[in-house]
Amino acid sequence: MRAFTYERAKDTSGAARAVAANPAAKFIAGGTNLLDLMKIEVETPTHLVDVQDLGFDKIEATRDGGLRIGALVTNTNLAADERVRRDYGVLTRAIVAGASGQLRNKASTAGNLLQRTRCPYFYDTNMACNKRKPGSGCAAIGGYSRQLGVIGVSDSCIATFPGDMAVAMRVLDAVVETVDATGQRRSIPIADFHRLWGDTPQQDTVLKQGELITAVTLPKPLGGKHYYEKVRDRASYAYALVSVAAVIQPDGTGRVAFGGVAPRPWRVEAADALLPRGAAAVTARAFQGATPTKDNAFKLPLATRALASVIAEAKA
Amino acid sequence: MPSVSEVEFSRRGLLAGSAATAVIVASPAGAVATTPPKAEAAPTMPVRFKVNGEKRELSLDPRTTLLDALREHLHLTGTKKGCDHGQCGACTVMVDGVRINSCLSLAVMHEGDEITTIEGLGTPDKLHPMQAAFIKHDGYQCGYCTPGQICSAVAVLDEIKRGVPSHAQGDLMTKPTASNVEMRERMSGNICRCGAYSNIAEAMAEVAGAKA
């Protein structure tokens, strides 16, 4: 690990200013992903600003009947919150499908959104990777790509967003709240939060340097039945090959987002509208224009089958 | 039979000796100048926390993980370093009552925290019920992952009691129970290369008062 200086921030504006002032500075909350990457020197911050004391650790009701989740609420506490289990079951189910109990106890809501890709070429500093070293090329294209993206990818990068929580948040139309060093606040729909790679895959999200996530808000509950179907190589503690987050209403309408397939949770609203016509209709629309590799083409029929199983369960 | 501390000493001595030999063999005469310079010593920072009920104060390079602080600075070597990347669970300890991977946390971030390691759960004379159950049910072979397994197992039963949900749960609104499938799912962050999983689940079931 490269040497860095460390400070424990006392207030939000001070934290944002400290990171905005130094392009090589980073916020640290749970640290479960950042420290992992710092150990292999994929991440090399020179200064860490610890945000654990900033008080964003509560889940509160909003005036319009939704929930405001503090950025520092741990994955465990978010999944266990009674309101979340009752009204946003897809979110609890997505969280407990991810990582391990130990990691969920430490990982924060904001950190989960900011976790980086698990593309093996991103982690291997001997390999070309445009995301780790812009302009160096992409060893994953033409390499081992079974886990990697099938849609929304580019000629620069075919990595996927690895999280589960955000896939459920995409179905729920969550909004990411931020504040920057000047005190400017932003509300970013989760749909726009993670970027498509294009030719700048080094930038995962639309956040600016020093812009701090303070909360994630959920609109009022959708009702319906909530599902998170995760297909993976092991029964537990493995990344999704494909995951399906869905909220299905009694009349068969609903919403669906897919994980493990794209640089961000993949939801196409026009495909949602096809839910009453069955899984194949939905995935044909949601994955229109997909560019799978020979190794990961299986993800397309797998997504259809995973969704078909969710729809069947909703009807049962 | 040598005491545990003697075995520990000689094993360390052997490792240190082999490393030195390897360096000598790998460096032909005159190659000393090409040896990369030693990393500069980083400024240290003070940190105070409680470990197993005892107040501790350390001055650490900020890079020091909680795991390394426990093992290398406080010499609490019960907690093990396996993968050092949060994948194996050998480093599991409890911080303020919940289990975490101590390898994926900086020691300086734990100012004021209360940390419990395997040494704080029980002693050879006064075993924690989970330690006794692991012995009774043969919940290990080589034993390297065991301190992490036991810390995790104790925390898992507490999580079930507190109603923390899991992937194994059918209805999210009912309280989870200490069933075999629940314990297996919740223990998936602790790897055992010897494969003692079924015996670990039986040890946990005994402590939970349930049938595996």
Side-chain angles (χ1 to χ4, degrees):
Chain A
M1 201 186 293
R2 302 279 179 89
F4 57 85
T5 48
Y6 167 89
E7 71 176 286
R8 192 153 163 169
K10 289 183 183 61
D11 58 83
T12 307
S13 57
R17 280 199 307 272
V19 173
N22 176 357
K26 277 194 177 286
F27 298 115
I28 186 165
T32 53
N33 184 226
L34 180 57
L35 290 170
D36 185 28
L37 292 169
M38 284 168 66
K39 287 183 183 193
I40 54 173
E41 299 190 356
V42 169
E43 293 280 9
T44 55
T46 60
H47 186 59
L48 289 183
V49 178
D50 182 346
V51 295
Q52 68 175 303
D53 296 330
L54 301 186
F56 304 129
D57 54 357
K58 291 165 205 71
I59 305 174
E60 299 159 314
T62 62
R63 263 176 298 181
D64 56 359
L67 284 182
R68 186 167 188 274
I69 304 155
L72 293 168
V73 173
T74 64
N75 287 179
T76 298
N77 289 345
L78 179 54
D81 186 275
E82 193 184 347
R83 294 160 292 184
V84 176
R85 281 186 285 130
R86 186 186 60 225
D87 299 330
Y88 304 96
V90 64
L91 183 54
T92 289
R93 294 220 179 268
I95 291 169
V96 297
S100 66
Q102 290 97 316
L103 289 166
R104 292 193 297 268
N105 281 340
K106 202 84 194 88
S108 67
T109 301
N112 192 313
L113 293 176
L114 294 173
Q115 67 181 307
R116 308 212 63 190
T117 174
R118 297 312 192 282
C119 173
Y121 299 97
F122 175 69
Y123 267 66
D124 185 344
T125 51
N126 294 309
M127 305 299 279
C129 173
N130 287 321
K131 179 177 272 296
R132 177 167 32 75
K133 196 176 172 203
S136 63
C138 173
I141 296 173
Y144 183 77
S145 59
R146 180 172 173 271
Q147 293 271 357
L148 303 177
V150 295
I151 195 158
V153 294
S154 76
D155 292 340
S156 298
C157 180
I158 59 169
T160 55
F161 174 75
D164 295 294
M165 182 194 81
V167 184
M169 286 180 169
R170 179 69 183 88
V171 159
L172 297 169
D173 279 338
V175 175
V176 183
E177 293 181 9
T178 69
V179 65
D180 71 11
T182 67
Q184 186 76 38
R185 295 184 176 273
R186 269 215 287 177
S187 296
I188 307 164
I190 188 93
D192 304 329
F193 183 79
H194 293 102
R195 295 178 64 253
L196 295 185
W197 303 142
D199 53 11
T200 50
Q202 65 273 24
Q203 204 183 333
D204 292 347
T205 71
V206 297
L207 294 187
K208 298 170 295 183
Q209 178 71 12
E211 189 173 5
L212 180 69
I213 300 175
T214 54
V216 175
T217 53
L218 302 179
K220 68 176 197 300
L222 294 168
K225 289 184 176 174
H226 289 224
Y227 299 94
Y228 192 74
E229 181 81 27
K230 183 172 179 180
V231 187
R232 44 187 161 174
D233 286 332
R234 291 191 299 243
S236 184
Y237 199 16
Y239 297 105
L241 292 167
V242 166
S243 69
V244 175
V247 175
I248 312 272
Q249 302 298 339
D251 64 0
T253 62
R255 300 177 178 190
V256 59
F258 299 89
V261 293
R264 62 187 181 200
W266 196 254
R267 178 174 166 211
V268 175
E269 274 80 349
D272 286 358
L274 301 170
L275 265 169
R277 289 174 47 192
V282 174
T283 53
R285 179 67 189 82
F287 292 99
Q288 203 170 49
T291 54
T293 66
K294 193 161 75 48
D295 291 340
N296 66 23
F298 74 94
K299 289 191 176 193
L300 295 170
L302 189 58
T304 306
R305 288 171 194 166
L307 177 59
S309 110
V310 165
I311 294 172
E313 215 181 311
K315 279 184 183 160
Chain B
M1 219 174 114
S3 74
V4 173
S5 62
E6 279 166 351
V7 172
E8 196 61 22
F9 177 77
S10 55
R11 195 199 305 164
R12 275 159 195 257
L14 180 66
L15 286 174
S18 337
T21 313
V23 170
I24 292 163
V25 172
S27 310
V32 178
T34 62
T35 309
K38 255 194 146 176
E40 247 176 77
T44 59
M45 292 187 74
V47 62
R48 285 150 301 181
F49 42 59
K50 264 192 187 172
V51 182
N52 301 327
E54 200 180 323
K55 279 187 188 163
R56 308 302 295 250
E57 194 168 343
L58 292 169
S59 190
L60 298 171
D61 179 327
R63 285 174 287 189
T64 313
T65 59
L66 179 59
L67 172 63
D68 287 342
L70 293 169
R71 286 183 55 84
E72 310 300 330
H73 296 265
L74 298 175
H75 308 295
L76 291 167
T77 52
T79 307
K80 296 293 185 273
K81 183 181 281 190
C83 68
D84 209 25
H85 285 280
Q87 295 167 8
C88 77
C91 68
T92 304
V93 300
M94 260 124 32
V95 175
D96 294 340
V98 301
R99 58 181 172 145
I100 68 163
N101 299 114
S102 62
C103 76
L104 284 187
S105 201
L106 296 173
V108 292
M109 295 179 75
H110 290 281
E111 178 75 31
D113 287 354
E114 297 205 7
I115 296 141
T116 305
T117 69
I118 188 73
E119 291 93 341
L121 281 183
T123 62
D125 301 326
K126 203 181 169 198
L127 294 172
H128 184 281
M130 192 63 80
Q131 291 172 314
F134 266 63
I135 293 168
K136 181 178 164 190
H137 291 277
D138 231 352
Y140 49 83
Q141 284 181 40
C142 80
Y144 194 81
C145 71
T146 313
Q149 297 277 4
I150 291 176
C151 283
S152 211
V154 169
V156 160
L157 295 189
D158 181 58
E159 285 167 16
I160 291 173
K161 216 179 196 172
R162 288 190 286 118
V164 172
S166 94
H167 179 63
Q169 234 169 305
D171 178 2
L172 293 178
M173 295 314 286
T174 57
K175 275 203 101 166
T177 57
S179 67
N180 185 266
V181 65
E182 275 286 0
M183 292 190 292
R184 282 173 173 271
E185 161 59 28
R186 290 169 191 266
M187 290 294 287
S188 69
N190 289 83
I191 309 296
C192 171
R193 291 317 317 166
C194 303
Y197 298 112
S198 60
N199 294 358
I200 291 170
E202 278 174 24
M204 291 176 68
E206 176 164 316
V207 176
K211 223 175 132 84

